């Protein structure tokens, strides 16, 4: 019978962060980790770069087998946690074995949301197996179509060779609707069209045929013929295990400021956890790498008795698509009390600063130059007020002429 002081379910950013946090402060507690994938932790956010041949498969891995040995952590890889008993404090694995615990950290992440397309030419991109499948599908592909305009679809399309036909089907009226404000989205959309991306907005797949190629019929009446279809419709948190065991859930597992669930010896972190937003205080799932690391660390500390509050999660997405950098930190909706917008039409550099009623920075959108992202992140976290001359002083004397300021 396996018994651990602390058991972690999930071997990605949050789970690895929890291990590091625990072992930094406590070398003696017994520690185990469960994950259904039979491999060390790897970076899911880097898989589009692997697909685009910008990095090797091996470079995706965050750890190796020695990492778990060095941190005295027993691994149960290739096994899924199928049942959780919160009264007797054990987890049943897919091989019918039981693993007991005193404290539990759930970091099961999220699954890619799929749609009903039964074709070997289509795939999601979430796990290493998905990346391997997509890599094979793209070999020799002359036309690639993605549905869903988020942080999977657009980066993958952007890394394809120039001679590949690229199509994007968007259910809403703009790209990156969950990442960028409306103005930045429209600016970026025009840039991507100039790079050869064909965008079908306010549209969806109505039917398809697989006859050597995928012939996709859209609701608008238009059609697309493609070799590969990438489904990038977002993710769905893996809350099934928690729901069946009496843990409070909404869209994700509900956590308090200690990353603690309604059951005091069970914690949750990462893409499965729904906690307070740093800006609004509302319950949310940020779904970004930095939040997963932060919550994993907090959950780890509290699981070993070091009571530590989490200030709340912050939207923090930085990427590069079709040669354009973008970064969004914190709040990005146009209903903010105050907004400062800076846009240089010649360079394409765009900044939109979101302020509260006291002129404190609550969010920033950066397009085509993200060098100052770290500065704005610190300003948001420290609730610093925004001085009127702050941004313009960083540019030359022509700044007032080059920028439209609202």
């Amino acid at each position: 019978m396996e018994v651990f002081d602390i058991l972690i379910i999930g071997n990605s950013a949050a789970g690895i962060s929890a291990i590091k946090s625990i072992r930094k402060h406590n070398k003696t507690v017994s520690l185990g980790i469960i994950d259904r994938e039979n491999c060390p932790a790897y970076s899911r956010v880097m898989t589009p770069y692997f697909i685009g041949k910008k990095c090797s498969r091996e470079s995706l891995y965050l750890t190796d087998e020695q990492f778990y040995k060095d941190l005295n952590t027993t691994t149960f890889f290739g096994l899924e946690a199928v049942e959780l008993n919160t009264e007797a404090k054990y987890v049943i694995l897919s091989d019918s074995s039981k693993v007991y615990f005193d404290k539990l950290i759930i970091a099961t992440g999220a699954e890619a949301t799929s749609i009903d397309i039964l074709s070997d030419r289509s795939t999601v991109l979430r796990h290493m197996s998905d990346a391997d499948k997509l890599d094979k599908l793209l070999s020799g592909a002359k036309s690639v179509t993605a549905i869903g305009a988020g942080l999977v679809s657009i980066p993958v399309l952007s890394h394809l060779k120039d001679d590949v036909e690229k199509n994007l089907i968007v259910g809403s009226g703009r790209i990156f609707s969950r990442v960028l404000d409306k103005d930045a989205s429209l600016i970026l959309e025009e840039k991507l069209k100039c790079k050869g991306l064909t965008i079908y907005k306010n549209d969806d797949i109505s039917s398809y045929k697989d006859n050597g190629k995928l012939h996709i019929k859209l609701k608008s009446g238009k059609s697309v013929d493609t070799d590969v279809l990438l489904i990038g419709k977002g993710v769905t948190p893996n809350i099934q295990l928690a729901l069946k065991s009496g843990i409070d859930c909404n869209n994700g597992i509900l956590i308090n400021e200690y990353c603690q669930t309604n059951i005091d010896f069970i914690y949750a972190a990462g893409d499965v956890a729904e906690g307070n937003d740093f800006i609004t205080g509302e319950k949310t799932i940020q779904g970004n790498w930095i939040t997963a690391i932060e919550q994993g660390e907090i959950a780890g500390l509290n699981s070993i008795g070091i009571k530590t509050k989490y200030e709340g999660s912050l939207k923090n997405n930085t990427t590069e698509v079709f040669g354009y950098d973008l970064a969004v930190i914190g709040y990005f909706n146009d209903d903010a009390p105050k907004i400062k917008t800076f846009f240089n039409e010649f360079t394409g550099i765009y900044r939109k600063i979101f302020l509260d009623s006291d002129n404190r920075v609550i969010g920033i959108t950066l397009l085509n130059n993200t060098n100052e992202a770290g500065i704005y992140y610190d300003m948001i976290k420290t609730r610093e007020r925004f001085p009127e001359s702050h941004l313009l002083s960083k540019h030359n004397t022509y700044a007032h002429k080059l920028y439209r300021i609202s």
Side-chain angles (χ1 to χ4, degrees):
M1 183 174 67
E2 298 278 5
V3 183
F4 295 94
D5 294 318
I6 302 169
L7 183 64
I8 300 168
I9 307 176
N11 181 42
S12 192
I16 294 301
S17 179
I19 291 175
K20 291 179 178 179
S21 176
I22 291 165
R23 284 296 179 234
K24 181 179 179 180
H25 300 278
N26 191 311
K27 302 291 193 291
T28 60
V29 292
S30 56
L31 188 57
I33 186 167
I34 300 166
D35 196 272
R36 64 182 180 181
E37 293 190 79
N38 193 17
C39 63
Y42 60 90
S43 173
R44 292 189 175 94
V45 299
M46 289 296 293
T47 51
Y49 294 88
F50 163 64
I51 297 302
K53 310 302 181 185
K54 300 295 192 299
C55 68
S56 66
R57 189 179 191 278
E58 290 70 27
S59 66
L60 297 178
Y61 287 96
L62 303 170
T63 62
D64 55 19
E65 293 181 2
Q66 192 61 41
F67 167 84
Y68 305 94
K69 294 177 182 177
D70 291 343
L71 294 184
N72 194 20
T73 303
T74 301
T75 60
F76 298 88
F77 291 164
L79 295 170
E80 185 175 1
V82 296
E83 185 178 332
L84 167 61
N85 188 311
T86 59
E87 294 183 1
K89 291 189 173 183
Y90 66 77
V91 172
I92 298 179
L93 303 183
S94 51
D95 65 352
S96 299
S97 62
K98 288 184 180 179
V99 183
Y100 288 80
F101 60 86
D102 183 51
K103 303 284 179 63
L104 179 69
I105 299 174
I106 302 176
T108 46
E111 287 302 307
T113 303
S114 191
I115 57 177
D116 190 19
I117 300 287
L118 300 177
S119 170
D120 290 336
R121 296 181 181 277
S122 70
T123 185
V124 296
L125 179 57
R126 184 66 179 174
H127 300 287
M128 188 70 82
S129 57
D130 300 324
D132 288 336
K133 178 181 178 181
L134 182 57
D135 186 46
K136 291 179 181 178
L137 284 174
L138 292 175
S139 178
K142 299 299 182 183
S143 174
V144 178
T145 300
I147 180 168
L151 289 167
V152 171
S153 296
I154 298 178
V156 168
L157 290 172
S158 75
H159 294 314
L160 300 178
K161 293 180 179 179
D162 292 341
D163 61 353
V164 175
E165 178 188 297
K166 306 169 186 71
N167 304 296
L168 181 64
I169 304 168
V170 188
S172 67
R174 58 190 174 98
I175 64 172
F176 279 142
S177 59
R178 296 183 182 180
V179 180
L180 292 176
D181 64 86
K182 184 177 180 180
D183 293 336
S185 177
L186 291 174
I187 292 168
L188 185 61
E189 180 183 324
E190 291 305 312
K191 300 291 185 183
L192 301 194
K193 287 179 179 177
C194 291
K195 293 284 188 175
L197 179 64
T198 301
I199 304 175
Y200 301 88
K201 294 192 294 185
N202 296 306
D203 220 334
D204 205 348
I205 297 174
S206 62
S207 63
Y208 71 95
K209 291 181 180 178
D210 189 345
N211 295 319
K213 271 195 171 188
L214 270 177
H215 178 73
I216 298 171
K217 190 78 171 179
L218 302 179
K219 288 184 176 179
S220 63
K222 298 175 181 177
S223 61
V224 178
D225 290 315
T226 191
D227 295 314
V228 180
L229 175 65
L230 172 61
I231 302 168
K233 299 286 286 183
V235 297
T236 304
N238 288 316
I239 62 173
Q240 296 85 354
L241 187 70
L243 275 174
K244 291 188 294 184
S245 60
I247 297 173
D248 288 346
C249 298
N250 184 31
N251 294 318
I253 298 174
L254 293 170
I255 57 172
N256 63 16
E257 64 268 35
Y258 302 103
C259 291
Q260 192 175 39
T261 70
N262 60 303
I263 299 175
D264 60 8
F265 54 85
I266 298 179
Y267 303 83
D271 290 0
V272 75
E274 186 172 349
N276 293 342
D277 181 273
F278 179 79
I279 302 297
T280 66
E282 297 175 354
K283 294 293 185 183
T284 189
I285 303 173
Q286 296 293 6
N288 64 59
W289 195 260
I290 292 176
T291 294
I293 291 172
E294 291 174 343
Q295 290 179 340
E297 179 182 8
I298 296 295
L301 289 172
N302 285 297
S303 71
I304 55 175
I306 301 176
K307 199 166 186 179
T308 309
K309 282 189 176 182
Y310 183 49
E311 292 182 317
S313 62
L314 197 64
K315 179 175 285 294
N316 197 332
N317 296 115
T318 301
T319 191
E320 178 268 328
V321 292
F322 289 93
Y324 295 95
D325 296 322
L326 64 94
V328 179
I329 303 170
Y331 202 78
F332 73 108
N333 294 324
D334 285 335
D335 60 357
K338 296 181 182 180
I339 295 173
K340 296 290 182 181
T341 303
F342 306 84
F343 177 46
N344 185 320
E345 294 185 45
F346 301 104
T347 65
I349 294 175
Y350 173 92
R351 285 169 175 74
K352 196 167 191 177
I353 303 167
F354 300 84
L355 309 172
D356 66 12
S357 56
D358 293 324
N359 286 328
R360 293 178 299 188
V361 182
I362 59 174
I364 180 72
T365 296
L366 301 170
L367 186 60
N368 215 27
N369 187 334
T370 60
N371 292 336
E372 296 174 355
I375 295 173
Y376 285 106
Y377 178 85
D378 290 339
M379 292 179 73
I380 295 168
K381 293 292 284 187
T382 57
R383 303 183 187 276
E384 186 175 337
R385 285 181 171 81
F386 176 73
E388 292 293 331
S389 62
H390 176 75
L391 186 62
L392 291 180
S393 65
K394 294 180 180 295
H395 298 282
N396 59 36
T397 57
Y398 296 102
H400 285 281
K401 295 180 181 179
L402 290 174
Y403 284 85
R404 293 203 306 265
I405 304 175
S406 60

